[in-house]
Amino acid sequence: MAKPLIPVEVIYDHALALLDAEGADALSTRRLATELRISTRTLYQQVGNREQLIRALVARHFSLLRLDFHEYEDWESTAVQWCLALHDALRAHPFLTELMTIEDRSAVMDYVHELVEATRREGFPLRLAVECCRALVNLTINHTIVEVRGMRQPKLSEESAERVDKTEKNFVMSIRWMLAGVRAESQSDNTTFPDATPAARSPKRRATDKATR
């Protein structure tokens, strides 16, 4: 009688635990199959090769992730806090984050919807809102990848440590610079984005606008 296949979720859970504990070098199909007491052939049948397994782990991580979305007093603060939440989620599995490629960005983009909607309510047109959020995601991912790679270095020189510290402090500043640029672009030429209307602004922003008139 044929041995039943091991649940694919068990494979993913074990692979992620191994990756978190020992890093990318420890994640091999041979070791994974041995520890799960299955053949490498069975492993390939269920999750593919190592590269396919890693891509699936990234997609699965974000499919299970639930980033709490909160709207703050202004749109800029909402976007900054969203980026920080994504940053923390990426840091929770540093080795997995380090293995991310451009192909994995689509998995993260599924979590941008609420931020896009908040950006639209601020009065930005759809195209600019999507481009802005995509840029924020890329900035956050790139920053976090650099950060987790720095964490792996056994001992940083004084100069390198200062550079890492400076990068950390500049993260939020970089986000705010990007947001300021997006707002300036939206306000500079409304004919470029004809779907931007005052009615799309958030209630807080509309109330502020009336109070300042």
Side-chain angles (χ1 to χ4, degrees):
M1 183 176 180
K3 183 179 179 180
L5 293 177
I6 186 171
V8 70
E9 292 300 315
V10 173
I11 299 176
Y12 288 145
D13 286 341
H14 195 86
L16 184 58
L18 184 60
L19 186 62
D20 286 342
E22 301 183 35
D25 292 340
L27 185 61
S28 68
T29 53
R30 183 179 297 276
R31 179 174 175 180
L32 195 56
T34 299
E35 294 188 0
L36 291 171
R37 298 181 180 180
I38 59 176
S39 67
T40 53
R41 180 179 179 180
T42 299
L43 187 66
Y44 286 135
Q45 285 179 334
Q46 293 193 256
V47 297
N49 58 29
R50 182 178 184 273
E51 182 66 21
Q52 292 170 319
L53 172 61
I54 291 172
R55 303 282 72 79
L57 284 177
V58 174
R60 177 176 178 269
H61 173 57
F62 284 100
S63 70
L64 298 175
L65 186 66
R66 292 296 178 266
L67 293 176
D68 291 332
F69 183 81
H70 300 286
E71 286 200 60
Y72 291 81
E73 194 64 29
D74 55 74
W75 170 71
E76 284 81 2
S77 295
T78 297
V80 168
Q81 293 302 319
W82 189 93
C83 289
L84 290 174
L86 175 59
H87 166 265
D88 291 344
L90 292 169
R91 276 198 55 166
H93 299 284
F95 292 110
L96 182 62
T97 295
E98 192 175 356
L99 291 173
M100 290 182 69
T101 69
I102 192 67
E103 296 178 2
D104 298 316
R105 304 300 167 96
S106 60
V108 182
M109 291 305 294
D110 290 340
Y111 291 88
V112 183
H113 177 71
E114 289 177 311
L115 183 59
V116 170
E117 290 303 308
T119 306
R120 292 281 289 128
R121 287 192 292 274
E122 186 68 11
F124 292 107
L126 177 61
R127 185 166 66 111
L128 184 58
V130 171
E131 290 175 355
C132 170
C133 295
R134 183 179 290 116
L136 289 172
V137 167
N138 288 332
L139 172 63
T140 304
I141 291 176
N142 291 338
H143 168 85
T144 311
I145 288 176
V146 170
E147 183 181 340
V148 297
R149 285 176 178 170
M151 291 166 56
R152 285 200 300 108
Q153 298 182 22
K155 185 177 181 180
L156 295 175
S157 66
E158 184 176 344
E159 181 181 355
S160 297
E162 290 178 357
R163 190 179 303 116
V164 170
D165 184 58
K166 186 176 181 180
T167 300
E168 277 295 297
K169 293 179 180 178
N170 286 344
F171 177 46
V172 173
M173 186 182 300
S174 298
I175 295 172
R176 292 196 178 279
W177 282 342
M178 180 181 292
L179 297 175
V182 171
R183 187 178 287 283
E185 180 177 346
S186 177
Q187 293 174 347
S188 64
D189 188 0
N190 290 332
T191 60
T192 305
F193 305 102
D195 60 327
T197 62
R201 295 182 179 179
S202 65
K204 291 180 180 178
R205 177 62 57 151
R206 290 199 299 269
T208 302
D209 290 344
K210 291 179 180 178
T212 55
R213 286 175 185 171

